[in-house]
Every structure is written in structure tokens, then in C-alpha cells.
Amino acid sequence: MGKGIVKRLFKGDKVIWMVITVLFALSFIEVFSATSTLAYKGDNYWQPISMHVTFMLVGVVAAWIVHNMPMSWLKNLATAGYWIGIIFLVWAMVDGVSINGETRWVRLFGINIQSSEVARLGLIMLIAKLLSDGQTEDGTSSEVLKKVLIATGLVCSLIITSNLSTVILICFTTYLMLFIGKIPGKQMWKLTGACAVAGTVALGAIMLTPASLVEGTPLDRMITWRNRITRSIDPASAEKDQNGGNEQRMHANIAIASSNVIFGKGPGNSEQRDFLPQAFSDFIYAIIIEELGLIIGGVGVILLYLILLYHTGQIAKDCDDPYAAFLIIGAALMIVIQAMAHMSISVGVGPVTGQPLPLVSRGGTSLVINCVYIGMILSV
């Protein structure tokens, strides 16, 4: 009887449950280790990890609620979820909360909520709805692409000045969803070409626009973007950068280089966590490798996310409901693409951004929203 109740309460793919359990266990161990500096500076030694565990529990409850929710409810909430995300983005621009010099949060009932995370969730739900509603006997309707691009463009336009990396992740995820959604080939080729041209023009504008033209304007983030791109290409240039150097990347590289192939230094024995300002968030993958080794920590974490993506794909393949299939593929892509971006940056590939490692890094809104994605996957 007990097993029957557990099966009813915790439905879904057992492998995905296992992956999430391992990621959460890893998150607890590594965040506890990486927040040692915060604990030392604070009055309460347990406060950093206790807050993280609280968000983990909230995330588990959110995942459980969503994974027991009928898929028809999620589809009916898609449009509303999208516009709630837009409202949060506008709210953050008009009266947002600034954390670490960035105004990306809104305060609701005394809790800081990252508006872009809410918007990403709503956008994924809406794109899945548009793709499923646009399915015909001859494939996906040609009108779907226009609707998806408008919805995605509105979200990205409200995020881009404060968080370019999130915009890139959203665009890449949207592109893959359109490809999987069987948008007509001619349209996809045009979209691919347009993206290539837009990306080239944007990169040229970032690298060539004089700083004097954008200083003091909403586009002054271009200076930061250019510095980050320059550092990623030529780390030595950080020494000449008046806005700061490559300290984060340097200490992340030391953390990885000082580890060993298999076992690492052991949980809690990181040395670079005390020098990395965001060791518990933006560079936690480097700490994982330092403490658990290149094979167990580095390769092991990559495999966990790939297993999550593979099993989600298998679930979507066997799913009869187009909306459910597109929704869970979008959710898995959002998690895995962000994870790969975080890990690439942590090992020195690409400009430094503020992308946490999904389901592992310390965080509030990001952790809970990623748990909602998992709940969606398990609901199918």
C-alpha cells in the first residue's frame, strides 16, 4: 500500500528523478563548501546554506505540484504565464531591486524574484502552445514562426540591456524549439540567415562603437560586453582594463588546474572558493572540479545533464500530446543549454557571464523555476 501511495505521489521517469536527486545532493555539498566566505563574514554561520536548503525545498514542492497537474491546465495557463513574465520585466525596469549592481529583480511579498526567469518560463509555455496549435496535416503552419518571433522579440527587448547572455540563451532555445517543431524548411533557412547577419552586426556594433557614444545611456552595457569579449579572446588585456581584470577566470582556472583527474581535493577542501566572488553561483562548476576531480566532478556533471536531455527526448517521442512534447523539450533545452554555457565559461571558453548552473548553484528564483521545468517533464 505504501509503495502505491509513493507511486501516485511521485510519478514520472525514474531516471530523471535519480538525476535530480544526485544534482540536489551535489548542490547541497558544493554550495555548503562554496559559501564558506559568506558564512565567515555573516553573523549566522548556517544562514547561507539554510537559505539555499529552503529554496531547494520550495523548488521540490513546486516540482511536485506541477508534476501532478493536468497538462491541459498548463496549456491554458500558457498565455497568462507569458504576460505575467512581461509584467515582471517591465516592473524590474521601472521599479526593480538592485543586487550586485544589476536591477533584474522585483520584490513581491518581501521576496526578491528575478524577472527574467519568470519571463523565460512563460515564453517556453507560450511557444509550446503556438507550435502545438499550429500543427496541420502538412506540418507546422507557416504563421507560427511570425507569432513565435514576436513573442520572443518582446521578451528579449526587455532583457537585453541588462542581461545579454540570457537573451542569447533564450534565442538559441527558441531556435531549437522551432527546428524540432518542424517549421517549414524554407522559413528555417531564412531565419538562420537572418540570425547570422543580426549576430554579426550586433558583434560589430559592440566591438566598434566608441565608449563615449554610449556612456550614460541605456546602451552603456555595451562597454561591459566588449570588455568581456576582449578578455575571453586575450586574457592579458584584462591588465589594461580600467573596469577590472580577469580575477574570476584566473581563480577558476587555478581551481581546475590544482585538482586531479579522478578524485579531486575532496568535498569541502577547495582553496579557490575564498577568492572567487561568486564561487557558489557563477563559477560553482570550477569548485566542483577542484573538489571532486575532472572525471567524477567534471565529466560526471556533464553526463547528468545529457541524461536528463536524452530521457526527456524519449518521453517527448512517445507522447501523443503535441503541447506536452514541445513543452518538455523546451524545458529540458533551457536547463541543459544554460548548464553547458555555465560549464564552458567556468573552464575558460567564452566571455564571463552571470549564468548559474541549473539545479546546483545557490539561488532563489532560478532554482525554483528550474524545479518547475522538472515538474513539467515529470508530469508527462
Side-chain angles (χ1 to χ4, degrees):
M1 182 177 177
K3 291 183 178 180
I5 295 176
V6 171
K7 286 183 178 180
R8 286 195 296 272
L9 291 178
F10 298 96
K11 301 176 290 185
D13 189 283
K14 293 180 180 179
V15 174
I16 292 179
W17 276 113
M18 180 192 71
V19 168
I20 302 310
T21 301
V22 174
L23 287 174
F24 265 29
L26 181 67
S27 176
F28 177 83
I29 294 169
E30 295 304 323
V31 169
F32 184 63
S33 173
T35 53
S36 60
T37 303
L38 292 180
Y40 177 78
K41 293 179 180 178
D43 297 328
N44 186 343
Y45 181 83
W46 294 100
Q47 194 272 340
I49 189 62
S50 62
M51 284 295 297
H52 182 60
V53 170
T54 300
F55 281 116
M56 288 174 69
L57 293 175
V58 172
V60 169
V61 172
W64 179 81
I65 291 173
V66 173
H67 108 289
N68 281 287
M69 190 179 292
M71 189 54 61
S72 59
W73 291 15
L74 292 175
K75 187 174 184 179
N76 292 334
L77 289 171
T79 303
Y82 173 79
W83 286 111
I84 289 173
I86 296 296
I87 291 171
F88 270 65
L89 291 175
V90 174
W91 183 0
M93 294 177 67
V94 176
D95 187 30
V97 176
S98 180
I99 299 177
N100 295 327
E102 302 292 347
T103 308
R104 301 173 183 173
W105 288 260
V106 298
R107 191 181 299 277
L108 183 64
F109 303 120
I111 301 173
N112 293 332
I113 300 174
Q114 192 167 358
S115 57
S116 62
E117 294 291 344
V118 180
R120 280 201 282 184
L121 173 61
L123 179 61
I124 291 296
M125 295 174 67
L126 181 63
I127 292 175
K129 183 177 187 297
L130 292 173
L131 287 173
S132 63
D133 290 346
Q135 297 299 303
T136 67
E137 293 182 358
D138 299 324
T140 305
S141 170
S142 58
E143 295 296 316
V144 172
L145 178 61
K146 184 189 301 182
K147 295 177 182 178
V148 170
L149 292 181
I150 292 173
T152 304
L154 178 57
V155 170
C156 291
S157 65
L158 295 173
I159 298 176
I160 191 167
T161 56
S162 63
N163 199 339
L164 178 62
S165 60
T166 294
V167 168
I168 294 173
L169 292 178
I170 288 174
C171 290
F172 191 38
T173 302
T174 299
Y175 180 87
L176 292 178
M177 288 186 70
L178 289 170
F179 179 78
I180 294 170
K182 297 180 180 180
I183 293 295
K186 188 175 181 180
Q187 286 189 323
M188 286 303 298
W189 278 113
K190 289 181 179 179
L191 177 61
T192 303
C195 289
V197 172
T200 302
V201 171
L203 181 60
I206 291 171
M207 300 304 294
L208 300 177
T209 301
S212 58
L213 291 181
V214 295
E215 285 180 345
T217 72
L219 295 177
D220 61 2
R221 288 284 296 179
M222 290 176 67
I223 302 173
T224 301
W225 300 338
R226 179 165 58 215
N227 291 335
R228 289 177 175 177
I229 294 171
T230 302
R231 293 172 195 161
S232 68
I233 298 172
D234 180 16
S237 66
E239 298 177 1
K240 305 175 184 178
D241 183 4
Q242 61 182 359
N243 295 320
N246 252 358
E247 292 86 0
Q248 285 183 306
R249 171 151 289 168
M250 178 182 71
H251 289 295
N253 290 341
I254 293 173
I256 295 171
S258 61
S259 181
N260 60 50
V261 176
I262 301 179
F263 296 110
K265 296 177 180 177
N269 293 322
S270 170
E271 296 175 4
Q272 297 306 311
R273 64 190 176 189
D274 297 329
F275 303 99
L276 274 165
Q278 296 294 323
F280 48 81
S281 179
D282 299 352
F283 283 88
I284 198 168
Y285 184 63
I287 303 302
I288 291 173
I289 294 177
E290 183 184 12
E291 294 191 346
L292 301 182
L294 290 170
I295 301 299
I296 296 177
V299 177
V301 171
I302 294 174
L303 288 176
L304 288 173
Y305 287 106
L306 292 180
I307 290 170
L308 172 63
L309 181 61
Y310 174 78
H311 273 263
T312 302
Q314 291 298 109
I315 295 171
K317 181 180 177 181
D318 297 333
C319 184
D320 295 328
D321 181 358
Y323 176 73
F326 293 134
L327 179 65
I328 65 174
I329 283 294
L333 286 173
M334 189 65 78
I335 292 174
V336 175
I337 291 172
Q338 181 176 327
M340 295 304 166
H342 171 99
M343 290 185 283
S344 297
I345 292 162
S346 293
V347 300
V349 179
V352 174
T353 63
Q355 295 298 329
L357 186 60
L359 302 167
V360 177
S361 291
R362 181 176 183 261
T365 312
S366 175
L367 180 59
V368 175
I369 294 297
N370 281 314
C371 286
V372 172
Y373 290 141
I374 296 300
M376 291 174 174
I377 296 171
L378 292 170
S379 70
V380 186

